[in-house]
Amino acid sequence: MDYTPIKKSNIDQLSVEPNLLNLQKTREAFKWEDIDRELDGLEGGGLNIAYEVLDRHVETSNKDKIALYWEGKNGETETFSFHDLSRLTNRFANVLTKLGVKKGDRVFTYMDRIPEIFICLLGALKVGGVIGPLFSAFGPDAVKDRLGDCEARVLITTPKLVPTAHEILEDLPALETIIIVNKRGRDYDLKDKEVSYEDLMKGASDEFDIEKTDKEDYAIIHYTSGTTGKPKGVVHAHQAIMGHYATAKYVLDLHPEDIYWCTADPGWVTGTSYGIFGPWSNGISQVVYEGGFGAGHWYRIIEKYKVTVWYTAPTAIRMLMKAGEKPVSKHNLTSLRYTCSVGEPLNPEAVVWGDKVVGLPFHDNWWQTETGCIQIANYPVQDIRPGSMGRPFLGVTATILDDNFEKELSPGEEGHLALKKGWPSMFRTYWNKQELYDSRFKGDWYITGDKATRDEEGYFWFVGRADDVINTGGHLVGPFEVESVLIEHPAVAEAGVIGIPDPLVMEVIKAFVSLKDGYEPSDDLIKDIKRFARKKLHALACPRKLEFLPGLPKTKSGKIMRRLLKARELGLPEGDTSTLEE
Ligand code: ATP
Ligand code: MG
């Protein structure tokens, strides 16, 4: 794949001077202790994420600044200042205290993207609770597994979703209280264990003394996306806020005047790290849209709120590409100055599309639930090499290790992506799975489970998840490379590539493809796509088989589930499908 780098190194071309002007120079000067000093900490010692994202702004000129512009799925709107959110979270902290919630208790939310989700999560952090946000599209088994795994004490949900909880209540002996948020005023009679959010909030005080949490106290449990197997409960401590704050400042390049929009749901780590903690610890106004994906709706949100910085995901970008350029031309998107992407490999075609159609290339960055914050990134002031994840963040040491996890490989060599352990937002454990946690570290390195290469200039290139890399005739082929070529074909909207066993060459490559509107599956089209791939790929990396699907199986957070494609192809058990999008 030959894409010319997109030149971004001329500061004069950028509308705003980036926070990070020179990666190398800043890297040399960078100290996590300085970031620590930029945060406030609690009076008398300790660190609490909720204080850093809300209360500290109440002491500054940000007090009455809008923190949240919320738009509901029916078009209703609400705004909240930092001061409003500080008071409301104090109230909710008082509610939880009255219900007997104590430091270390697990408090889960299970609701749509309504403002109360932010109030509840941050209020729970104020009492020292360990928060677990769940995506509202989860079914009963997914909710049961997660609440059961970490013995959640409180669940906060809505009349629409509470029937799911009723189905599983018997299996959750540790669950003492269900708080019902009835934002839309539905007819609802409280049942056993249930209390009303609105009633309790009415009587609660606006004042609350935040629990004196330490930087090492647990703050968040996030279950991973389940792309490769059963989701794991990744535990983060309050110190993670250092990573959220620093990366939101230097990678998302947030400036005080920005209007920022992160499209991820708080049920996934991107939606908390960068839909709550990163922007608000920097005192930034953000937009939250409750509705789901729709090209027209999304462009309308950008236009209406004059969004300047936009953080989204490859699947969404591919869907925008599929919807074509017409919806873009109907909206004024000139407020946008910087766009980023995370969650899956970002095909070079998608980077270039953004540059061509919106006038801004998407800046890819890489991280995981386990890393808590962005680790490898493209920065506004650097040239983008389409298809690359970028360079390690300040204070992060990334490398490529051999199969024994001992030797660091040279530029161009493919191996295991690893990070030097010890960055502040590193996960502290997998809940109830300490052995699995320990197995992820080899010496000083955290092994990410992804394979990648590094080039001479220090840019990292994703190859595939270690489990997804295909061995064909002794050659290792990463699915991302093949998928990226396939989506360059004008008919292809999405592609998922797997290896299937072959007696001669170990594995051959099979591609699953969904088509753009206006294209019909046919044998001729299969031939044409294969021919197209042959021109761009090594002979062994070309798909031997190709099948059309109306859509690819994805997690609810939008990641292609190759393990499911493989299980279905080979007639094997599908494994955990709790995060599968319906
Ligand atoms: P599970 O661990 O349960 O299988 P998951 O790995 O998908 O799920 P997340 O923590 O949400 O759970 O995702 C992190 C993974 O997503 C990374 O390890 C990587 O494989 C992929 N990923 C994220 N961002 C990028 C990116 N910019 N480029 C390539 N891959 C990415
Ligand atoms: Mg993972």
Side-chain angles (χ1 to χ4, degrees), residues 224-225 227-228 232 368-370 430 440 448 450 465:
T224 53
S225 295
T227 315
T228 54
K232 306 165 280 275
Q368 309 176 304
T369 312
E370 288 88 340
Y430 286 123
R440 299 293 299 266
T448 65
D450 287 342
R465 294 168 185 262

Side-chain angles (χ1 to χ4, degrees), residues 99-176:
L99 292 169
V101 176
K102 295 197 182 58
K103 185 170 163 183
D105 286 345
R106 271 78 64 203
V107 178
F108 273 67
T109 54
Y110 175 49
M111 48 180 139
D112 292 333
R113 278 185 299 278
I114 54 177
E116 287 69 15
I117 198 167
F118 304 100
I119 297 164
C120 294
L121 290 173
L122 292 167
L125 285 174
K126 285 187 168 180
V127 300
V130 181
I131 58 171
L134 293 182
F135 190 44
S136 62
F138 280 153
D141 286 343
V143 177
K144 185 177 77 183
D145 282 356
R146 288 160 180 77
L147 297 188
D149 183 49
C150 63
E151 296 170 294
R153 214 176 146 191
V154 179
L155 177 67
I156 308 158
T157 187
T158 59
K160 181 180 121 188
L161 291 166
V162 75
T164 306
H166 293 154
E167 272 183 55
I168 53 179
L169 213 48
E170 262 182 24
D171 299 316
L172 297 171
L175 187 64
E176 284 173 7

Side-chain angles (χ1 to χ4, degrees), residues 307-530:
V307 172
T308 57
V309 178
W310 186 30
Y311 195 20
T312 188
T315 298
I317 299 169
R318 286 193 297 263
M319 282 157 85
L320 294 173
M321 290 165 75
K322 190 175 174 188
E325 296 179 24
K326 214 165 145 205
V328 182
S329 60
K330 288 194 188 142
H331 296 274
N332 179 353
L333 307 180
T334 51
S335 59
L336 281 176
R337 70 168 183 86
Y338 187 47
T339 54
C340 300
S341 165
V342 74
E344 273 205 303
L346 182 64
N347 316 92
E349 193 66 14
V351 178
V352 176
W353 181 86
D355 201 29
K356 187 175 130 224
V357 178
V358 189
L360 297 166
F362 288 96
H363 291 70
D364 187 24
N365 52 65
W366 176 96
W367 59 292
Q368 309 176 304
T369 312
E370 288 88 340
T371 69
C373 75
I374 297 167
Q375 302 289 297
I376 298 178
N378 287 284
Y379 301 88
V381 79
Q382 288 190 75
D383 297 348
I384 298 179
R385 300 188 173 177
S388 161
M389 308 185 280
R391 288 160 152 162
F393 181 61
L394 311 162
V396 167
T397 308
T399 197
I400 306 292
L401 294 180
D402 69 352
D403 283 341
N404 296 322
F405 309 113
E406 279 166 5
K407 195 172 142 264
E408 290 188 54
L409 299 179
S410 309
E413 289 185 297
E414 198 175 296
H416 299 269
L417 176 61
L419 305 165
K420 184 70 74 59
K421 67 185 181 193
W423 67 96
S425 67
M426 189 178 90
F427 69 138
R428 299 304 201 252
T429 190
Y430 286 123
W431 193 269
N432 271 342
K433 293 185 179 64
Q434 186 62 29
E435 259 178 46
L436 177 65
Y437 178 80
D438 294 338
S439 74
R440 299 293 299 266
F441 295 87
K442 304 282 177 212
D444 275 348
W445 296 108
Y446 162 66
I447 312 299
T448 65
D450 287 342
K451 293 195 116 181
T453 60
R454 172 177 40 182
D455 66 22
E456 293 283 353
E457 283 75 38
Y459 284 79
F460 282 72
W461 301 75
F462 185 79
V463 172
R465 294 168 185 262
D467 299 347
D468 287 340
V469 173
I470 301 158
N471 186 342
T472 174
H475 287 260
L476 297 178
V477 177
F480 173 51
E481 180 193 2
V482 185
E483 290 162 6
S484 289
V485 164
L486 293 173
I487 76 158
E488 285 177 38
H489 187 282
V492 175
E494 280 190 311
V497 163
I498 59 165
I500 51 175
D502 179 86
L504 274 185
V505 290
M506 293 269 293
E507 288 184 296
V508 290
I509 291 173
K510 172 154 187 184
F512 295 87
V513 160
S514 78
L515 294 174
K516 286 193 185 142
D517 296 341
Y519 289 90
E520 291 299 324
S522 72
D523 287 345
D524 282 346
L525 188 52
I526 292 185
K527 281 189 203 133
D528 193 62
I529 298 172
K530 282 187 174 176

